[in-house]
Amino acid sequence: MRFSWVQSGDDFSLALGSDGNLYSWGLNYDYQLGHTTSGKPVVVETPAGVRYTQAAAGQTFALALGSDGYVYTWGNNTYDQLGRSTFGNNYNAPDKVAPPAGIHYTRVYAGDRFALASGSDGNLYAWGDNSAGALGQGRIGATSRNPLRVAAPEGITFTQVFTGPSSRHVLALGSDGNLYSWGYDDSFQLGRQRNALTALGDPLPGKVKAPTGITFTQASTGLNFSLALGSDNNLYSWGNGLKSQLGNSQMISMYPSNVIMPSGVNFTRFVAGRYFAIAAGSDGNLYSWGYNDYGQLGRDISSTSDYLPTKLEAPAGITLIQPQAGDNHSSAIGSDGNTYSWGKSADGVLGRDVSGNQDSHPGKVIFPGVGIPKLVQFGNTSGIYPTDNNDGTWKVTTPPYTPGPVTVTINWTLNGVKQLPDTSNTYLYTSISVLPRAGGAGIFLPLAVGLLIIMATMAARRLRKARSQKQ
């Protein structure tokens, strides 16, 4: 089992497994993992019959696009970032967000305390915290539980959207080829002239001031800075550089300025963390710069920050791709199919066992182990404890039951964490019939008894592949 992509929240991560399940690990104070706390990858709770196809991690909440076309949210809801009513601010299990009438969502995004989703009508919708204008409504103010249409410029649709778990601002590529920004602007992270009426934020999308002759093709946002790739293959940064996150010697930059690129290398992919950034180079290496208080740069430096993009120390023989960055931790998928993590390790943030509260060297995230059945129930009978055969299978003797199909409920754990009961199995009880003699009393239908063999697999939620044998 492998992860095809990873998304980082502030102190937790989401990842899509090759088995089709969404996994999470890390800090879980606000139930942002969507399951019981775990420092190792565990399956996020999923509504019956639904698969998550894409997801985004905010500061202390998460959202995912379901195979049924609905968006599901979970975690902290202090600022209405879940887009729905909850009884409390925490411990909210995944549940559906109601879209505008006639609309379904096609992609989701998460900022620090707000969420966005692209609609099937071509519009961008937002909900949650609007104290800095991140909802793009033309006004700064209260939170919104209901999805609101972002006020795009006339005739413009947003084709790509960029924000992150540390960000209170948004960047978006417009259908006209321009990059737009809105939200918090305390450090000029919007990359354009400030709105004098709204001081430190602008609630209306406006064009980022690109260098002459340059258009932007990708972007990423940190806490108080922004990055964008130019049509000239140079990477640009703007905003606050006090922790070296701009990738150059500037302390503050109102408009896009060049990141210092390694000689002969172009950046093909990049991501901004809270105060740092990581980029994939055309030479197959990852480069990092910015703040390094927990080793999130993936390399050892003599100070707490470094503005010069420098090669990350990848494991021997491994090429790291698809970098991700959280508050002060990082991850990437390796050429060997494994996922690697580094940086802050407290609260299981790295998804692996680490001695101490940080690790600056990329190490393998522990993939989900074998699902362990704990209790098996046939229909409404009492549960039965399975017996381990020590060969990857477990067995239970089926109790007497009326002939016919019956639902088998398997209670199980993964990496020691209790999972949602698997009810996808059925067991067919057949009868041994004694045909009556002429004038006899009828057909005798004894209750059937058999043996169920449960097969374990490495992929979570695959216990449904259990096979049964009647003896």
Side-chain angles (χ1 to χ4, degrees), residues 104-109 116-121 123-125 158 161:
H104 67 268
Y105 295 126
T106 58
R107 193 167 185 84
V108 295
Y109 316 89
L116 305 115
S118 297
S120 55
D121 60 349
N123 289 307
L124 182 64
Y125 293 85
F158 294 130
V161 180

Side-chain angles (χ1 to χ4, degrees), residues 9 222 423:
T423 59

Side-chain angles (χ1 to χ4, degrees), residues 290-306:
Y291 204 43
N292 196 43
D293 55 336
Y294 282 95
Q296 57 265 44
L297 296 189
R299 52 189 174 90
D300 296 323
I301 61 176
S302 58
S303 62
T304 57
S305 65
D306 183 5

Side-chain angles (χ1 to χ4, degrees), residues 27-311:
L27 190 66
N28 201 32
Y29 287 168
D30 297 301
Y31 205 75
Q32 58 263 50
L33 298 187
H35 58 70
T36 306
T37 299
S38 177
K40 309 295 189 304
V42 174
V43 177
V44 174
E45 292 181 18
T46 310
V50 174
R51 289 283 188 180
Y52 297 133
T53 58
Q54 186 253 326
Q59 187 178 75
T60 54
F61 77 104
L63 66 162
L65 187 64
S67 55
D68 58 354
Y70 285 99
V71 168
Y72 292 82
T73 59
W74 58 93
N76 189 285
N77 198 31
T78 304
Y79 298 90
D80 288 324
Q81 60 264 55
L82 298 189
R84 55 186 173 85
S85 176
T86 57
F87 290 109
N89 289 334
N90 302 329
Y91 310 109
N92 299 302
D95 206 351
K96 191 181 299 182
V97 174
I103 303 298
H104 67 268
Y105 295 126
T106 58
R107 193 167 185 84
V108 295
Y109 316 89
D112 67 341
R113 302 178 304 205
F114 65 95
L116 305 115
S118 297
S120 55
D121 60 349
N123 289 307
L124 182 64
Y125 293 85
W127 60 89
D129 182 22
N130 196 40
S131 60
L135 303 191
Q137 298 301 299
R139 64 182 183 277
I140 291 175
T143 65
S144 176
R145 178 184 303 165
N146 299 316
L148 303 173
R149 184 168 59 85
V150 173
E154 184 69 27
I156 302 299
T157 57
F158 294 130
T159 57
Q160 294 186 60
V161 180
F162 311 93
T163 190
S166 298
S167 303
R168 299 179 68 190
H169 68 292
V170 183
L171 301 176
L173 284 173
S175 52
D176 60 350
N178 288 302
L179 183 65
Y180 291 82
S181 62
W182 65 93
Y184 203 39
D185 196 31
D186 66 327
S187 298
F188 301 101
Q189 57 263 50
L190 297 189
R192 55 188 172 87
Q193 187 66 43
R194 273 185 174 167
N195 186 331
L197 298 178
T198 52
L200 300 182
D202 192 340
L204 272 178
K207 293 179 185 178
V208 172
K209 187 178 180 181
T212 303
I214 302 299
T215 57
F216 293 125
T217 58
Q218 296 180 48
S220 187
T221 63
L223 174 68
N224 52 15
F225 73 106
S226 301
L227 301 169
L229 185 65
S231 53
D232 59 352
N233 290 323
N234 285 311
L235 186 63
Y236 293 84
S237 63
W238 59 95
N240 193 309
L242 292 177
K243 294 184 183 295
S244 303
Q245 61 266 51
L246 296 185
N248 53 43
S249 59
Q250 296 192 55
M251 295 294 100
I252 196 83
S253 179
M254 291 182 61
Y255 305 115
S257 59
N258 287 82
V259 170
I260 299 173
M261 308 279 281
S263 179
V265 174
N266 293 324
F267 290 147
T268 58
R269 187 183 181 117
F270 55 92
V271 62
R274 190 176 185 85
Y275 296 120
F276 70 103
I278 299 175
S282 54
D283 60 351
N285 292 302
L286 287 188
Y287 292 81
S288 61
W289 63 93
Y291 204 43
N292 196 43
D293 55 336
Y294 282 95
Q296 57 265 44
L297 296 189
R299 52 189 174 90
D300 296 323
I301 61 176
S302 58
S303 62
T304 57
S305 65
D306 183 5
Y307 72 80
L308 190 65
T310 303
K311 192 182 301 183

